[in-house]
Structures are given as C-alpha cells and as structure tokens.
C-alpha cells in the first residue's frame, strides 16, 4: 500500500510517473512531455512578456487564467484517479484497498484546491476591476489617456497626477462633499511621489479663466452664508455645487468631478489626469478587511455627537470605525490636525497592507473596494498603473500640506501655492530633499493680493513644506 500511495503522490507533482511504474511507457512519456512543455511555455511567457503584472489586469488574460485553472483542475483530478487505477490497487489486501482508496480520493480533491483557489481569486479580481474601472457617461469626466507606444506607455508624459478624494456621502446626505483632497503626483520613471494635501476650508477658490465656474465667480468662489451661519463656498463644496448647477454647463449633469479636478490642477499649476473618490466610511470596511491598522495615537481623540466616543492615546490596533473617527474627528481639534491624522492613517495602510495580508483576506478586500471607490481611470490604463504603483512602493514619497502657517486658508496666496508645488515636484524629480519653504516662497512671484476684509495674509514659514508621508505620526511603528 505504501508503494501505491508513494507513486500516486509522485504522479501528482510529475504527471505520468505512475503510468511509467505500471509499465505504460508511452502514456507516461506523453504525460511527462506535456507537463514539461506546459512549464516551459509558462516560463517563456514570464520571460518574454513585457509588463507581465500589468498584463494580468487585462480581461483577456484574466479570462484565460480562469478557464485554464478550471480545465487544469479537472485534468489533475482525472490524472490522480487514472493513476490510482493503473497502479492496480486490487492486488492489495481488502483493508489496504479501502485505506488507499480513501487516501487517493483525498489526494484527488487536494490537487484540485489550488486550481480552484486561483480560479476564484482571478475571477473575483476581474469582477472587482470591472466594477470599479468603468467608462464614465458622456456627461461625466472624460477618461483621457496618453497616446501609448511600445517604448513609452505614457506617451512622453513625465508625471501622472491622480486626485485622491475622501467623500462623506451617505444615505442621510444629498450630494458629495470632498473633505479630504490629496493630489498624488508620480514620476513615471523613478516612482518618486509628492502628495499635496489641500484643506477643505480653503476660501476664495479660483477657477481656471474661461470656464463656466470662473464666469460665475470671477472674483473667487463666494456664496451667502448658510441659514445656520455656515459656509458652502469652501473648496470641499466645489464638487457638490457643480453637480447641483447643471445650467452652468449647458444642462450637463455630474460635472462635479471634472470641475474639482480642473480647479485643483489650476490651484497647483499641474494637469490632473484622473481622480479616485473614496467613501470615507466605506474606507472603514477596507481597514476591517485587512484586519485593522496599528497607529501611534499621540493623544486622546474624542468623537461623537455628544463627545461620547474616545480613541485612547498609545500604540493601538484600530478597527475600521475607530480608525475613521481618529482620522475625521475635529472635536477639541481643527481641520489641519485632522489632515495630519488622515495622512497617518493612509501611511499606516500603505505600510501594513503587505502581500500576505492582501492574499489571505482578498475576498473581503475586494468586496470592500467595490463599495468604496469611484474613479474615472480607464480600465485599459491599469496595465500601466500596476508597474508604476510598484515603483512608488520603493520610491521616495513626500508630503506637502497647504495649511497654516505655510498658507492662510482664508486668504490663500495662489502664486505662493503654485511656487511651492513646482519646487516640490522639481526636488522629487532630482531625487534630493526639498529646500526650505522660504526658498519655495522666493521662487514664487508674489502676485497681486485680493484680501477679504478683516483677514491677514499668511506668514512665512521657515519649515520644509515637503515631509515624509508618516512624519509627525507619533513615531515609527
């Protein structure tokens, strides 16, 4: 019985071995030849395919892998069953026949499991990608893509600029307010990335000249106070306002994303390629899907309508809801401290969502991702973004936060903002640390100032505006 089971196990990893042992040389050699040819074909594909990981995001490849995994799984099952039969277990004693038959059946099922796992993993990936990356409607942001060539998939483009937004939409609120706005500017060659963080309460927002919003607000985004005395003319309201006023755009609906992308691009002096909007509370489900994140909470963070919630200080592993409250609470705090905490949560997720975690919790992550992400990135560009993302993982990622004292949110110095952004991008491209903010300010022309009554201009800062993504997050984890 031991010999039968041993040859059966060998046949599972070297198809045809059992047939050779049983004297069926032709069948055994054919099986071994097919197996070797298949391995060589896979090796050739791996060695000769440019951007293999990127290609694995394409529908044709994913469909082929699912079909291949199913066919191979059934073939391996049949192979084990036939190998067991040719080894003639009937010559064994009755007890040996029963035990070997049971173990052979278990082995036949076991060899199918990896193929089934691969098929499920790839099918889930394909469905998730197709759900997230869809072509926008005619009224929404056009999903422009650079002209590709075999040598340069980015069509000569040196940087890719993706606007990362955190929205607060939920069942009890109409419209989308983008309370978290970060522009990731990625060098396509080195992967060096600068993350520009813009405060939600930026006032007097300027729109690109000649656009419908600039014609409606020639002196900056300004609206009468709300009934409760609040402001609806801050940067975080641009998307919501544009969506709510299709008459400004010839009746076109859903112009919020396009307007906000253009506005932030104009503010920073760059062209925004695409956006990705994350439902902030959906983000909590993603954090739960990866098993939580460990964060150094520098001091107690109070939250809740009646201040009933608390994220206690210390190094803690936070579940999704607590992590989001840590990132979003303004109780006994302000917008700028909240921006820093949001950056800390993003950094913790990037650091702790390792490949092993992603693989073991893939289905949960895929379900969470479908529910929380909305983007205009074209499906076909994923094959180029995957290798770029791998570059970013090992590259320099710096952060520039446009908050006081670097700028005054009530009276923004637009030329200074553009100058700092330009300097940070040039420093990232040169792979050297950014210079001090004072030098950045000197690089920007002062420009005319248009103050609101009673507001003071921003004071110059001597601190370096470009910092590490997790700098100031309570120490290294």
């Amino acid at each position: 019985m031991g010999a039968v089971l041993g040859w059966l196990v060998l046949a599972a990893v070297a198809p045809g071995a059992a047939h050779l042992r049983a004297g069926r040389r032709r069948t055994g050699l054919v099986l071994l030849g097919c197996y070797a040819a298949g391995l060589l074909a896979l090796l050739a594909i791996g060695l000769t395919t440019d951007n293999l990981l990127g290609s694995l995001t394409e529908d044709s490849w994913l469909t082929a892998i699912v079909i291949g995994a199913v066919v191979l799984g059934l073939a391996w099952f049949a192979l084990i069953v036939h190998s067991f039969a040719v080894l003639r277990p009937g010559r064994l004693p009755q007890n040996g026949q029963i035990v070997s038959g049971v173990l052979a059946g278990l082995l036949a099922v076991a060899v199918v499991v990896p193929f089934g796992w691969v098929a499920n993993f790839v099918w889930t990936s394909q469905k998730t990608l197709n759900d997230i990356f869809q072509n926008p409607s005619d009224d929404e942001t056009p999903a422009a893509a650079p002209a590709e060539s075999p040598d340069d998939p980015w069509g000569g483009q040196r940087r890719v600029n993706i606007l990362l937004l955190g929205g607060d939409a939920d069942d009890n609120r109409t419209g989308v307010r983008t309370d978290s706005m970060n522009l990731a500017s990625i060098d396509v060659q080195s992967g060096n990335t600068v993350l520009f963080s813009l405060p939600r309460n930026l006032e007097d927002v300027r729109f690109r000249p000649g656009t419908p919003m600039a014609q409606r607000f020639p002196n900056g985004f300004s609206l009468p106070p709300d009934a409760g005395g609040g402001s609806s003319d801050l940067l975080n309201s641009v998307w919501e306002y544009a969506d709510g006023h299709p008459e400004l755009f010839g009746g076109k609906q859903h112009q919020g994303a396009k307007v906000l992308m253009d506005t932030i691009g104009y503010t920073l002096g760059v062209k925004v390629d695409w956006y990705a909007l994350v439902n902030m509370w959906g983000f909590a489900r993603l954090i739960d899907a990866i098993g939580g994140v460990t964060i150094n909470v520098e001091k107690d963070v109070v939250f809740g309508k009646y201040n009933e919630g608390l994220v206690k200080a210390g190094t803690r592993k936070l579940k999704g809801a607590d992590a989001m409250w840590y990132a979003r609470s303004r109780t006994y705090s302000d917008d700028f401290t909240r921006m820093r905490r949001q950056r800390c949560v993003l950094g913790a997720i990037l650091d702790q969502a390792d490949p092993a975690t992603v693989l073991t919790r893939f289905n949960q992550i895929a379900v969470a991702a479908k529910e929380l992400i909305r983007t205009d990135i074209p499906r076909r560009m994923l094959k180029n973004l995957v290798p770029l993302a791998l570059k970013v993982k090992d590259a320099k990622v710096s952060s520039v936060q446009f908050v006081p004292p670097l700028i005054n949110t009530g009276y923004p110095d637009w030329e200074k903002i553009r100058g700092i952004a330009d300097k940070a991008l040039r420093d990232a491209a040169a792979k050297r640390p950014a210079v001090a903010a004072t030098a950045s300010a000197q690089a920007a022309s002062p420009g005319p100032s248009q103050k609101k009554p009673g507001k003071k201009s921003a004071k110059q800062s001597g601190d370096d505006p470009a910092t590490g993504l997790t700098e100031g997050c309570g120490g290294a984890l």
Side-chain angles (χ1 to χ4, degrees):
M1 183 181 72
V4 170
L5 293 176
W7 281 102
L8 200 60
V9 171
L10 181 60
V13 295
H19 292 76
L20 291 174
R21 175 67 180 84
R24 302 193 178 189
R25 293 178 57 82
R26 180 178 297 179
T27 303
L29 291 174
V30 168
L31 288 172
L32 280 172
C34 291
Y35 180 59
L39 291 178
L40 289 173
L42 290 176
L43 180 62
I45 291 173
L47 293 176
T48 60
T49 302
D50 292 332
N51 187 14
L52 178 61
L53 289 177
S55 297
L56 290 175
T57 65
E58 296 185 304
D59 265 324
S60 57
W61 281 67
L62 295 173
T63 300
I65 292 172
V66 171
I67 294 173
V70 172
V71 170
L72 287 173
L74 294 175
W76 238 263
F77 181 87
L79 170 71
I80 296 300
V81 172
H82 195 262
S83 297
F84 181 65
V86 301
L87 289 170
R88 293 183 292 176
R91 297 178 301 174
L92 298 173
Q94 185 175 10
N95 288 342
Q97 293 179 35
I98 294 173
V99 173
S100 63
V102 171
L103 293 176
L106 292 175
L107 180 61
V109 172
V111 298
V112 173
V113 171
F115 295 103
W117 183 87
V118 169
N120 177 69
F121 180 90
V122 175
W123 181 82
T124 302
S125 301
Q126 183 177 25
K127 189 173 185 302
T128 302
L129 292 176
N130 289 336
D131 286 343
I132 294 174
F133 299 93
Q134 300 176 0
N135 292 325
S137 66
D138 292 339
D139 285 341
E140 291 185 292
T141 307
E148 298 182 54
S149 70
D151 296 329
D152 183 7
W154 298 106
Q157 191 171 324
R158 294 183 58 187
R159 305 195 71 87
V160 173
N161 300 311
I162 302 176
L163 183 58
L164 307 175
L165 304 169
D168 61 357
D170 60 34
D171 295 337
N172 300 317
R173 172 176 289 150
T174 59
V176 176
R177 289 190 305 184
T178 52
D179 281 348
S180 175
M181 290 163 282
N182 298 276
L183 181 78
S185 183
I186 308 165
D187 187 302
V188 299
Q189 296 298 323
S190 66
N192 286 348
T193 301
V194 182
L195 190 68
F196 297 106
S197 298
L198 292 158
R200 62 179 289 277
N201 60 340
L202 198 62
E203 299 186 40
D204 281 337
V205 176
R206 303 305 168 97
F207 303 101
R208 191 180 302 277
T211 61
M213 290 290 281
Q215 294 171 4
R216 173 67 178 83
F217 301 103
N219 297 316
F221 193 31
S222 180
L223 294 170
D226 298 340
S231 298
S232 293
D233 53 6
L234 307 177
L235 181 60
N236 74 324
S237 301
V238 169
W239 179 315
E240 185 177 30
Y241 183 89
D243 268 359
H245 293 80
E247 71 278 2
L248 296 178
F249 312 98
K252 288 185 178 181
Q253 302 284 335
H254 310 299
Q255 293 297 291
K258 181 179 180 180
V259 170
L260 185 59
M261 288 169 64
D262 186 66
T263 301
I264 289 180
Y266 179 61
T267 299
L268 297 175
V270 300
K271 176 185 178 294
V272 179
D273 297 294
W274 302 297
Y275 81 91
L277 173 68
V278 174
N279 182 322
M280 295 299 288
W281 291 112
F283 217 106
R285 290 192 287 274
L286 179 62
I287 291 173
D288 284 333
I290 65 173
V293 291
T294 301
I295 294 176
N296 287 324
V297 182
E298 64 280 8
K299 65 179 182 179
D300 290 353
V301 175
V302 178
F303 63 87
K305 186 175 181 179
Y306 302 104
N307 299 340
E308 70 276 14
L310 176 66
V311 179
K312 297 186 69 175
T315 300
R316 329 193 65 81
K317 187 162 189 176
L318 302 181
K319 293 183 178 180
D322 283 341
M324 281 301 92
W325 278 120
Y326 168 78
R328 289 181 56 79
S329 176
R330 289 199 302 271
T331 304
Y332 308 133
S333 184
D334 54 37
D335 280 321
F336 315 117
T337 301
R338 183 172 80 156
M339 285 175 63
R340 178 182 55 76
R341 293 200 304 263
Q342 289 173 355
R343 179 168 52 84
C344 294
V345 172
L346 285 174
I349 293 173
L350 288 174
D351 288 341
Q352 297 167 43
D354 57 272
T357 299
V358 172
L359 287 175
T360 55
R361 298 174 175 266
F362 182 75
N363 282 346
Q364 302 97 305
I365 292 172
V367 170
K370 286 192 297 185
E371 294 177 352
L372 69 91
I373 298 176
R374 172 180 171 185
T375 183
D376 68 340
I377 297 175
R379 177 74 168 81
R380 69 181 182 87
M381 289 305 297
L382 283 183
K383 66 180 180 180
N384 300 322
L385 287 171
V386 168
L388 186 60
L390 294 177
K391 287 183 181 179
V392 173
K393 185 73 176 176
D394 298 321
K396 171 188 172 185
V397 179
S398 56
S399 172
V400 178
Q401 297 192 80
F402 291 104
V403 298
L406 187 61
I407 67 163
N408 186 319
T409 58
Y411 166 59
D413 186 332
W414 306 109
E415 292 297 331
K416 179 181 178 182
I417 290 174
R418 292 189 188 100
I420 291 173
D422 179 68
K423 188 66 175 175
L425 294 177
R426 285 189 283 115
D427 287 340
K431 299 183 181 179
R432 58 187 176 83
V435 299
T438 51
S440 296
Q442 291 170 2
S445 58
S449 47
Q450 299 177 354
K451 297 185 179 181
K452 282 187 174 181
K455 291 184 177 178
K456 299 179 181 179
S457 61
K459 66 180 180 180
Q460 296 289 333
S461 169
D463 297 326
D464 186 346
T467 63
L469 183 61
T470 56
E471 187 170 326
C473 293
L477 294 177

